[in-house]
Amino acid sequence: MAAACFRALCCKGPPPARPEYDLVCIGLTGSGKSSLLSKLCSESPDNVVSTTGFSIKAVPFQNAILNVKELGGADNIRKYWSRYYQGSQGVIFVLDSASSEDDLETARNELHSALQHPQLCTLPFLILANHQDKPAARSVQEIKKYFELEPLARGKRWILQPCSLDDMNALKDSFSQLINLLEEKDLEAVRM
């Protein structure tokens, strides 16, 4: 009896390892990067402060672990973003869909720069239109048009999704779509 129990527990082997992906998360200060990542890690977003420099979080999902390097979005930090791009396998860009016109224009310029950066231009992008729960939030269609995503990102792998801290299911679904893009990129690399 003890031998059968031992075999049942020990001979199955460990569960298959989940793939890990290294991602960079960028967006302006106040877009909600830290809060969204904290919530995904089951941490309270209540005491989150703006990131100065960068922080790294391992965000666990059922089928993958995302090692997310979040870069601060202040003016004096954004000019250094590109120094942290190396080794990234995907990009998360968070924008405040309820921000001022000036901030939206700045976010648009930063996203355009990221989409065209040599170290990022071939990577999958998850673009999160955050703060959808605010009255001034722009729709995903308005953002897609304003950011000129169709012509700019043609031929690239990108997902634009609405989100807010209030709708974790939608946020998790957005990340599942990103994981699918990352897995597809892995399969393409194996075929080459």
Side-chain angles (χ1 to χ4, degrees):
M1 178 88 171
C5 229
F6 177 78
R7 267 196 308 279
L9 291 174
C10 297
C11 297
K12 286 184 180 176
R18 290 181 283 182
E20 292 192 30
Y21 297 102
D22 295 326
L23 306 176
V24 64
C25 179
I26 54 179
L28 304 187
T29 296
S31 61
K33 301 178 300 294
S34 300
S35 297
L36 291 173
L37 292 173
S38 292
K39 191 92 178 215
L40 282 170
C41 291
S42 301
E43 300 169 2
S44 172
D46 296 338
N47 300 321
V48 169
V49 294
S50 288
T51 303
T52 305
F54 73 94
S55 71
I56 299 175
K57 280 194 184 297
V59 185
F61 287 90
Q62 190 170 352
N63 56 340
I65 296 171
L66 303 180
N67 297 312
V68 181
K69 189 184 322 169
E70 178 202 348
L71 307 182
D75 287 348
N76 60 339
I77 296 173
R78 287 197 306 267
K79 61 186 172 191
Y80 299 109
W81 279 358
S82 61
R83 294 182 183 193
Y84 297 90
Y85 291 166
Q86 190 170 350
S88 296
Q89 295 168 281
V91 181
I92 303 159
F93 189 93
V94 182
L95 64 98
D96 179 355
S97 58
S99 68
S100 70
E101 290 293 325
D102 287 348
D103 283 349
L104 207 62
E105 177 68 21
T106 303
R108 179 183 131 166
N109 292 337
E110 293 296 347
L111 177 60
H112 284 207
S113 294
L115 282 164
Q116 296 169 340
H117 192 279
Q119 289 179 305
L120 303 181
C121 64
T122 61
L123 302 181
F125 271 72
L126 171 59
I127 305 162
L128 294 172
N130 195 16
H131 300 144
Q132 288 292 309
D133 52 332
K134 292 184 179 177
R138 293 159 186 87
S139 72
V140 168
Q141 289 307 321
E142 290 173 295
I143 288 169
K144 185 187 286 188
K145 185 177 180 183
Y146 182 80
F147 277 67
E148 300 171 318
L149 286 173
E150 292 292 344
L152 180 70
R154 185 173 289 124
K156 300 180 189 303
R157 289 183 210 121
W158 59 276
I159 303 160
L160 171 62
Q161 291 288 92
C163 73
S164 74
L165 285 178
D166 297 340
D167 191 353
M168 284 311 294
N169 289 335
L171 186 62
K172 288 178 180 177
D173 181 59
S174 300
F175 275 85
S176 292
Q177 291 180 50
L178 177 61
I179 291 168
N180 289 340
L181 289 180
L182 292 164
E183 289 170 344
E184 286 173 17
K185 193 158 174 53
D186 271 0
L187 288 174
E188 284 177 15
V190 168
R191 282 189 224 128
M192 290 181 170

